[in-house]
């Protein structure tokens, strides 16, 4: 008899099959002497659409809402139906005695497998493979320690409850809003509070009133001294007259040193990465979207096998990982890391509670390198960037603290207090891993208020208390207080992870719950939520900053208040966590959601409000003849039919990778009729045909590989066939502007 292994993706299935000695290729599976390995393609089965429960639900009508299924139905996803049939065929083979679930080890991975088993009616015994990386060693060890599948029943119940609750609230509320206001309006218990957070930030920015502030510095004894208010400690004053009077008062005075303090200080490496922290860092450093970072991580995990499971919310590793650290160091001892790793290998591994803590490891530990030997040459440039972030962070936590001596000087002149600071690096410690990386800032610097920066650190001469110094020159400084910054994907991820400051409720228990449950969404879903907001045209990008659209603002006016609040997700996630732990039954949770959905729809039906398209154009839809809407996608401008059922959309301009020959910025490719033209923000224009001729003259041939890579990268937005053909003739440069 044999065991059927069900993996989530073909690449992981092939790795498992190779380790288990399965070499015989079957349709949708690989067979060996003891095991048959098959795979899903993500989800093969999902919850049925409303029309599967009742034919009348094909029509979007307020009178049929809310839709509350008596019994949940699963359907096979049409695009992956062939693979489902092949998996089902293997499940019911007479020589298969049990099923080993080898999907991703988490809530959604459990759902992928269990829905397949439920839909197919398979009742064979199940075991669970629970691993955090897909290296050969991890797979072998995982199969040596397979878990009883029943142990993960509560995890499946939590996943199923989440899916059914989101169906009830999301589909019903979206249909209700769309029908009520005759516009394509979508909402959900995570995406709508996220949109509300963006709107709240924009309101903060609009209502902000800048204030002028002033400061004073003077040069004395080869030291730059900064005036400081004695009581408040502030380095700035909002009273210009006070600073002007102070400048006059100082003339002719000397400065007397009143205090010299030398303090030994240490800074420790930032913690290991979880997915959200890695997405933030990649956006801040490289401009990668959250979705791009997750996709790169998946390739490094599944294809290259050099990093551990990406969808983790933990920044710690367990004590069981510590014995493997040296093997992981040896595996990545190549390229730029050879400068640091041999020294770490020669010494005993240093661990601490700052990154090793069994109590703080959730389903998966932090993202770290695997024991798989890395070949940097096989990675793309983007993969190298993400891999480098993870490896350097891993190396840094194994290094000692960075040590320095901080000197703080205080002095008096004309009865006023002045300060100066200086640092001497005693030991670079973990900072040596980052060499000249200026993006690293100490926590002390991060804490600075933009309006009241701390006195800058500088080289200081040897001074003693009582030294009297002549003041060489005096200068005043000025500036304006700054409003909060618009969200980028990095800062929006932070807000979603910790949305407490955006809560209206002051209830301490609710605020604590939201913090403990990980905020809005999960590490695995936040990237998709942000993408959905872009693709629904509720938000748009200007440069790297995120702005709410008119459609998004109007939606927030029409959505019931409760659906906009982070508190809703906090309550849901707390209950889902209880279900996953076996501390709560799913029936009680879903009963509450049914009642909540009913109340929500009644509120939408009885609400008074209107929705107005303020982006209507005079262009008629070629499919239905109605006027089209002008919208901004994430990287393109589009025309979209206002009729939801028509669904026609057309790309009219896209930000390309082609660089302007004048300013080297990326140019927009605009399509008008049969003519395509590159336009740059600096005013430069060039027809596509002229662009091709120029590039050929410069010796840049057309590479199919480059074109395919470009089109794949741009696939987030729909491209018309004619537009795609125009793009296919473009030879992309390397982004250097040369």
């Amino acid at each position: 008899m044999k065991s059927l292994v069900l993996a989530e993706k073909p690449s992981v299935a092939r790795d498992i099959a190779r380790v288990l000695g399965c070499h015989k290729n079957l349709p949708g599976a690989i067979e060996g002497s003891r095991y048959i390995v098959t795979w899903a393609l993500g989800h093969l089965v999902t919850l049925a659409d409303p029309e599967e429960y009742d034919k009348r639900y094909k029509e979007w009508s307020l009178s049929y809402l809310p839709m509350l299924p008596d019994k949940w139905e699963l359907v096979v996803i049409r695009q992956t139906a062939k693979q489902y049939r092949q998996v089902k065929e293997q499940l019911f083979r007479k020589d298969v005695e049990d099923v080993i679930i080898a999907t991703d080890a988490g809530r959604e991975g459990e759902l992928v497998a269990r829905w397949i088993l439920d839909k197919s009616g398979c009742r064979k015994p199940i075991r669970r493979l629970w691993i955090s990386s897909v290296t050969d060693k991890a797979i072998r060890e995982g199969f040596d320690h397979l878990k009883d599948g029943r142990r993960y029943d509560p995890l499946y119940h939590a996943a199923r409850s989440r899916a059914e609750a989101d169906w009830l609230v999301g589909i019903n509320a979206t249909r209700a809003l769309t029908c009520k206001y005759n516009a394509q309006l979508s909402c959900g218990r995570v995406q709508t509070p996220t949109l509300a957070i963006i709107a709240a930030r924009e309101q903060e920015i609009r209502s902000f009133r800048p204030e002028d502030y002033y400061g004073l510095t003077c040069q004395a004894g080869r030291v730059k001294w900064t005036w400081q208010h004695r009581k408040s400690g502030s380095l700035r004053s909002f009273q210009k007259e006070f600073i002007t009077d102070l400048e006059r008062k100082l003339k002719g005075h000397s400065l007397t040193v009143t205090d010299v303090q030398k303090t030994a200080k240490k800074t420790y490496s930032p913690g290991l990465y979880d997915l959200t922290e890695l997405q933030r860092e990649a956006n801040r450093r490289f401009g990668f979207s959250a979705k791009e970072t997750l996709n790169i991580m998946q390739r490094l995990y599944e294809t290259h096998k050099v990093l551990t499971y990406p969808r983790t919310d933990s920044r710690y590793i367990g004590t069981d990982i510590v014995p493997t650290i040296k093997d992981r160091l040896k595996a990545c001892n190549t390229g730029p890391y050879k400068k640091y790793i041999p020294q770490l290998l020669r010494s005993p591994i240093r661990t601490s509670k700052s990154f090793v803590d069994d109590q703080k490891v959730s389903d998966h530990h932090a993202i770290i390198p695997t024991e798989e030997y890395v070949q940097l040459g096989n990675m793309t440039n983007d993969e190298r960037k993400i891999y480098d972030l993870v490896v350097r962070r891993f190396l840094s936590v194994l290094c000692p603290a960075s040590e320095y001596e901080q000197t703080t000087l205080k002095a008096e002149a004309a009865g006023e207090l002045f300060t100066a600071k200086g640092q001497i690096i005693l030991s670079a410690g973990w900072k040596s891993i980052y060499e000249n990386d200026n993006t690293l800032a100490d926590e002390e610097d991060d804490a600075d208020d933009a309006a009241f920066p701390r006195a800058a650190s500088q080289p200081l001469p040897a001074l003693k208390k009582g030294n009297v110094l002549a003041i060489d020159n005096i200068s005043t400084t000025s500036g304006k207080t700054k409003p909060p910054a618009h969200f980028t994907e990095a800062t929006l991820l932070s807000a979603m992870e910790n949305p407490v400051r955006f809560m209206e409720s002051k209830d301490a228990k609710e605020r604590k719950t939201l913090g403990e449950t990980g905020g809005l969404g999960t590490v695995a879903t936040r990237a998709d939520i942000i993408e959905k907001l872009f693709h629904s045209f509720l938000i748009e990008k200007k440069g790297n900053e995120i702005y709410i659209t008119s459609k998004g603002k109007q939606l927030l006016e029409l959505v019931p208040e409760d659906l906009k609040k982070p508190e809703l997700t906090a309550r849901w996630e707390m209950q889902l966590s209880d279900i996953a732990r076996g501390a709560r039954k799913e029936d009680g949770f879903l009963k509450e959601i049914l009642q909540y959905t009913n109340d929500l729809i009644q509120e939408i039906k009885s609400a008074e409000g209107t929705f107005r398209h303020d982006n209507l154009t005079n262009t008629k839809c070629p499919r239905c003849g109605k006027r089209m809407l002008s919208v901004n996608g994430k990287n393109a401008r589009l025309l979209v039919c206002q009729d939801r059922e028509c669904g026609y959309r057309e790309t009219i301009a896209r930000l390309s990778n082609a660089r302007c020959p004048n300013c080297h910025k990326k140019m927009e490719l605009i399509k008008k009729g049969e003519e395509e033209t590159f336009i740059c923000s600096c005013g430069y224009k060039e027809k596509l045909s002229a662009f091709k001729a120029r590039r050929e003259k410069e010796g840049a041939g057309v590479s199919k590989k480059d074109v395919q890579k470009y089109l794949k990268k741009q696939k987030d937005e729909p491209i018309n066939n004619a537009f795609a053909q125009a793009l296919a003739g473009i030879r992309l440069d390397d982004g250097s502007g040369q």
Side-chain angles (χ1 to χ4, degrees):
M1 298 296 284
K2 298 183 179 183
S3 295
L4 180 70
V5 181
L6 176 57
E8 191 161 333
K9 296 182 179 70
S11 58
V12 177
R14 284 192 292 271
D15 292 330
I16 292 173
R18 179 173 45 76
V19 171
L20 297 178
C22 303
H23 304 293
K24 182 182 177 183
N25 289 320
L26 304 173
I30 308 170
E31 186 171 3
S33 58
R34 289 180 53 202
Y35 299 96
I36 305 161
V37 183
T38 188
W39 55 86
L41 297 166
H43 279 286
L44 298 181
V45 174
T46 190
L47 290 173
D49 287 331
E51 51 267 30
E52 299 292 331
Y53 296 98
D54 192 325
K55 296 300 180 188
R56 64 180 180 160
Y57 290 159
K58 282 186 176 180
E59 177 190 352
W60 283 41
S61 170
L62 268 177
S63 61
Y64 299 146
L65 300 179
M67 302 172 290
L68 307 173
D70 293 324
K71 181 178 179 296
W72 290 99
E73 299 290 339
L74 294 172
V75 295
V76 177
I77 298 171
R78 184 173 54 83
Q79 294 89 334
T80 55
K82 181 180 177 183
Q83 182 60 24
Y84 170 78
R85 289 193 297 271
Q86 291 168 343
V87 171
K88 184 176 179 180
E89 183 180 334
Q90 300 302 321
L91 283 170
F92 286 96
R93 278 176 47 163
K94 291 182 179 179
D95 59 343
V96 169
E97 64 176 348
D98 66 352
V99 179
I100 298 172
I101 296 176
T103 48
D104 285 352
R107 194 166 77 183
E108 289 308 305
E110 196 69 23
L111 191 64
V112 167
R114 297 298 191 100
W115 268 355
I116 293 171
L117 297 177
D118 282 4
K119 178 61 179 173
S120 65
C122 179
R123 298 290 179 264
K124 293 181 180 180
I126 57 173
R127 289 183 287 169
R128 191 52 160 105
L129 176 72
W130 195 268
I131 55 178
S132 289
S133 62
V134 287
T135 62
D136 290 7
K137 180 181 177 183
I139 292 169
R140 277 193 289 268
E141 289 180 352
F143 271 88
D144 287 340
H145 301 90
L146 290 171
K147 316 288 187 184
D148 182 346
R150 290 172 299 181
R151 173 178 168 183
Y152 297 92
D153 284 352
L155 188 66
Y156 166 49
H157 296 155
R160 184 171 64 188
S161 298
R162 193 277 312 155
E164 292 170 359
D166 277 336
W167 191 102
L168 286 166
V169 172
I171 288 183
N172 276 293
T174 294
R175 282 204 176 195
L177 288 166
T178 299
C179 295
K180 171 93 174 176
Y181 301 105
N182 192 29
Q184 298 178 44
L185 301 175
S186 65
C187 63
R189 55 104 187 175
V190 176
Q191 73 174 62
T192 309
T194 301
L195 186 66
I197 285 174
I198 298 169
R201 172 58 58 86
E202 290 204 7
Q203 180 57 39
E204 281 184 72
I205 294 169
R206 279 195 301 273
S207 60
F208 183 83
R209 296 290 177 267
E211 291 185 74
D212 293 316
Y213 62 83
Y214 307 90
L216 185 142
T217 62
C218 65
Q219 200 79 22
R222 304 197 312 277
V223 176
K224 185 178 181 180
W225 300 84
T226 303
W227 170 82
Q228 186 174 25
H229 194 280
R230 281 188 184 275
K231 289 185 178 179
S232 69
S234 171
L235 305 177
R236 300 291 182 261
S237 170
F238 288 104
Q239 298 175 328
K240 184 177 181 180
E241 296 79 10
F242 174 81
I243 295 296
T244 305
D245 290 345
L246 179 58
E247 183 182 15
R248 282 197 295 266
K249 190 165 100 172
L250 282 174
K251 288 179 180 176
H253 282 76
S254 299
L255 191 139
T256 304
V257 178
T258 58
D259 189 29
V260 179
Q261 288 187 3
K262 294 188 177 183
T263 311
K265 289 199 170 188
K266 293 181 179 182
T267 61
Y268 296 90
S269 166
L272 296 169
Y273 287 118
D274 63 5
L275 178 59
T276 302
E277 178 66 15
L278 185 59
Q279 287 170 320
R280 273 197 293 263
E281 189 85 346
N283 181 261
R284 187 168 65 90
R285 287 173 177 255
F286 313 125
F288 292 168
S289 71
K291 188 69 173 177
E292 283 175 323
T293 301
L294 178 55
N295 289 342
I296 294 167
M297 276 297 304
Q298 281 294 133
R299 295 198 299 272
L300 291 169
Y301 165 66
E302 291 176 7
T303 307
H304 298 286
K305 304 180 195 58
V306 293
L307 295 182
T308 55
Y309 186 69
R311 290 177 167 88
T312 176
D313 60 357
S314 175
R315 300 186 65 182
Y316 294 82
I317 59 174
T319 51
D320 60 320
I321 300 297
V322 174
T324 72
I325 288 178
K326 287 207 169 185
D327 287 337
R328 296 172 193 270
L329 289 173
K330 289 173 186 174
C332 51
N333 186 21
T334 186
Y337 317 117
K338 282 186 173 180
K339 187 174 179 181
Y340 318 106
I341 291 177
Q343 184 178 347
L344 289 170
L345 288 171
R346 283 194 293 270
S347 309
I349 295 298
R350 305 161 59 100
T351 63
S352 71
K353 278 281 189 179
S354 65
F355 70 98
V356 180
D357 191 336
D358 291 330
Q359 301 302 313
K360 294 181 179 178
V361 175
S362 52
D363 287 343
H364 299 279
H365 57 67
I367 300 168
I368 59 174
T370 65
E371 301 101 319
E372 191 87 3
Y373 279 85
V374 65
Q375 293 182 317
L376 296 176
N378 292 342
M379 294 183 192
T380 65
N381 188 41
D382 289 350
E383 288 167 353
R384 282 281 301 271
K385 287 177 178 176
I386 297 298
Y387 180 73
D388 184 71
L389 286 181
V390 175
V391 172
R392 288 187 190 271
R393 185 62 64 91
F394 181 61
L395 299 181
S396 71
V397 299
L398 300 173
C399 292
S402 173
E403 300 181 31
Y404 62 96
E405 181 183 76
Q406 178 154 316
T407 301
T408 302
L409 303 177
K410 291 185 179 180
E412 286 187 358
E416 297 291 337
L417 173 65
F418 290 81
T419 61
K421 287 183 179 181
Q423 281 184 13
I424 299 173
I425 302 297
L426 303 177
S427 171
W430 65 271
K431 288 190 176 182
S432 64
I433 302 296
Y434 292 91
E435 297 175 286
N436 298 319
D437 190 339
N438 293 323
T439 61
L440 278 177
D442 291 338
E443 287 183 15
E444 186 177 356
D445 297 327
D446 290 340
D448 290 349
D449 185 307
F452 302 103
R454 286 184 168 87
S457 184
Q458 58 186 307
L460 296 177
L463 293 174
K464 295 180 180 178
K465 184 177 178 180
N467 285 160
V468 178
L469 309 172
I471 297 176
D472 297 328
N473 59 63
I474 305 166
S475 59
T476 59
T477 58
S478 64
K480 287 181 182 290
T481 55
K482 295 180 181 179
H486 282 278
F487 281 119
T488 63
E489 285 205 40
T491 54
L492 182 56
L493 283 167
S494 297
M496 291 174 75
E497 186 179 42
N498 187 24
V500 170
R501 67 172 292 240
F502 298 98
M503 291 174 65
E504 293 180 8
S505 169
K506 301 301 178 187
D507 186 288
K509 186 177 179 182
E510 282 194 343
R511 297 171 77 87
K512 183 182 177 186
T513 297
L514 192 60
E516 290 175 348
T517 53
L520 291 171
T522 66
V523 290
T525 61
R526 287 184 191 123
D528 287 328
I529 293 297
I530 295 173
E531 291 297 309
K532 188 171 184 180
L533 290 172
F534 277 118
H535 292 155
S536 302
F537 309 118
L538 298 171
I539 60 175
E540 61 187 4
K541 251 186 173 182
K542 296 177 182 177
N544 201 34
E545 295 179 334
I546 295 172
Y547 290 76
I548 189 169
T549 64
S550 170
K551 180 180 180 181
K553 291 174 188 173
Q554 291 187 77
L555 174 64
L556 290 176
E557 292 292 323
L558 303 173
V559 167
E561 280 298 315
D562 196 47
L563 205 53
K564 294 186 281 188
K565 296 178 181 178
E567 290 91 327
L568 176 64
T569 279
R571 294 194 293 270
W572 279 32
E573 286 298 333
M574 183 174 68
Q575 294 177 77
L576 291 171
S577 296
D578 287 344
I579 294 169
R581 292 198 315 270
R584 180 186 172 94
K585 297 294 184 184
E586 60 180 321
D587 291 347
F589 170 72
L590 285 171
K591 187 176 180 181
E592 290 179 16
I593 297 299
L594 286 166
Q595 183 58 51
Y596 175 76
T597 303
N598 194 61
D599 295 343
L600 198 66
I601 299 311
Q602 297 312 315
E603 185 177 344
I604 293 173
K605 283 181 176 181
S606 60
E608 295 181 5
T610 57
F611 182 89
R612 183 176 64 86
H613 289 300
D614 57 5
N615 55 344
L616 273 173
T617 69
N618 289 324
T619 304
K620 297 288 182 69
C621 173
R623 192 178 291 166
C624 70
K626 293 180 181 175
R627 288 168 67 188
M628 297 180 74
L629 308 172
S630 174
V631 297
N632 292 323
K634 196 172 183 182
N635 296 301
R637 291 188 287 122
L638 304 94
L639 289 174
V640 178
C641 183
Q642 62 175 296
D643 190 326
R644 176 191 58 79
E645 293 185 357
C646 173
Y648 180 82
R649 55 176 57 191
E650 177 183 337
T651 304
I652 57 172
R654 178 184 301 284
L655 185 67
S656 74
N657 278 350
R659 299 278 178 170
C660 172
N662 292 340
C663 68
H664 305 305
K665 291 180 181 177
K666 290 181 179 180
M667 297 188 292
E668 197 175 49
L669 185 59
I670 294 179
K671 183 176 187 295
K672 288 186 179 179
E674 297 302 315
E675 186 65 65
E676 292 83 38
T677 304
F678 284 109
I679 294 182
C680 180
S681 57
C682 73
Y684 177 81
K685 293 183 180 181
E686 185 175 27
K687 289 183 179 179
L688 178 62
S689 55
F691 172 83
K692 288 184 190 177
R694 175 170 63 82
R695 295 296 287 152
E696 285 177 13
K697 190 176 179 181
E698 292 169 356
V702 177
S703 162
K704 278 190 177 181
K705 183 178 178 182
D706 284 341
V707 172
Q708 290 304 316
K709 181 179 176 183
Y710 174 71
L711 291 175
K712 184 179 179 182
K713 186 175 181 181
Q714 302 291 332
K715 70 180 179 181
D716 289 340
E717 300 288 355
I719 304 175
N720 299 321
N721 289 336
F723 204 58
Q725 290 164 8
L727 287 171
I730 300 174
R731 169 70 172 92
L732 307 174
D733 68 14
D734 60 4
S736 64
Q738 300 301 312

